[in-house]
Structures are given as C-alpha cells and as structure tokens.
Amino acid sequence: MKIRSISIVLCALALGAVSCSKEAPSAGKAAPEQTQAKPAAHAPADVKPGSHEDWCGEHQVPESQCTRCNSDLIPAFKATNDWCAEHGMPESQCLKCNPDLKIVRPPKGS
C-alpha cells in the first residue's frame, strides 16, 4: 500500500513538472508573432492606381484590380473577355490556369 501511494505521488509530481516546464510569456515580453509587423493587406483608398502602394497583400494583385476584394470590378473584366469563370477571377490574374504568370508589384516610388 505504501509503495502504491508513493508511486501515485511520484507520477503526479512528474506530470506536474512536465506541464509546468513551458515558460509562460512574461508581462513585458510579447509573443514572437505579435512582434513581427505584417504588411498591410489592403491599399488605402486614395492611392494612385498602378503605384507601389496600390497593392492587395492578401491576393497579391493591384488593389485597384482586385475583384476578390471589390466585386464591382468584375463586369469590367468580363466586358473585356478577361474572366476565368472556373476560378471566379480575371484570367489575367488566374495562376491556376496560367501557372507561369508573374504578377509583380511595382517598385517603390512608382
């Protein structure tokens, strides 16, 4: 009986030590993912179309041409026959249909 009680206590201590082995972040330290700045997902409304700032970080296309963020743009792409109905985006942006397509963000200062 004594050995069984000692075994239970040792198991409890071992489990407690394992669960407490991770250090909790201190109040003064931020978690690593909080300290890394993420680029803005969307461009401000007043940017010049075609500029470096005109960029949808979420979809990696110019913000002024991002139909996934602004569905009002879809009719213009459809009117020019630049529409991939299968994937629901402009053909000129469809990487699934055009895997070699390179959509490059303009350089800063443009």
Side-chain angles (χ1 to χ4, degrees):
M1 182 74 160
K2 222 179 198 181
I3 292 175
R4 185 173 180 202
S5 297
I6 292 173
S7 296
I8 292 173
V9 170
L10 288 176
C11 284
L13 288 173
L15 289 174
V18 170
S19 66
C20 293
S21 65
K22 294 181 182 175
E23 289 183 15
S26 65
K29 284 186 178 178
E33 55 270 5
Q34 293 174 345
T35 59
Q36 296 175 353
K38 291 184 180 180
H42 300 283
D46 60 345
V47 299
K48 176 183 160 192
S51 68
H52 176 78
E53 292 76 23
D54 178 32
W55 194 251
C56 175
E58 184 176 354
H59 300 113
Q60 300 300 303
V61 296
E63 184 80 34
S64 60
Q65 298 176 21
C66 187
T67 58
R68 288 166 281 180
C69 291
N70 185 355
S71 60
D72 292 342
L73 299 172
I74 293 172
F77 282 98
K78 286 182 175 181
T80 60
N81 293 320
D82 184 9
W83 191 252
C84 175
E86 182 180 357
H87 299 114
M89 67 178 60
E91 187 70 38
S92 60
Q93 298 174 9
C94 187
L95 295 170
K96 291 179 182 175
C97 292
N98 306 299
D100 295 331
L101 180 65
K102 302 286 186 230
I103 302 173
V104 180
R105 185 176 187 176
K108 285 187 178 184
S110 61

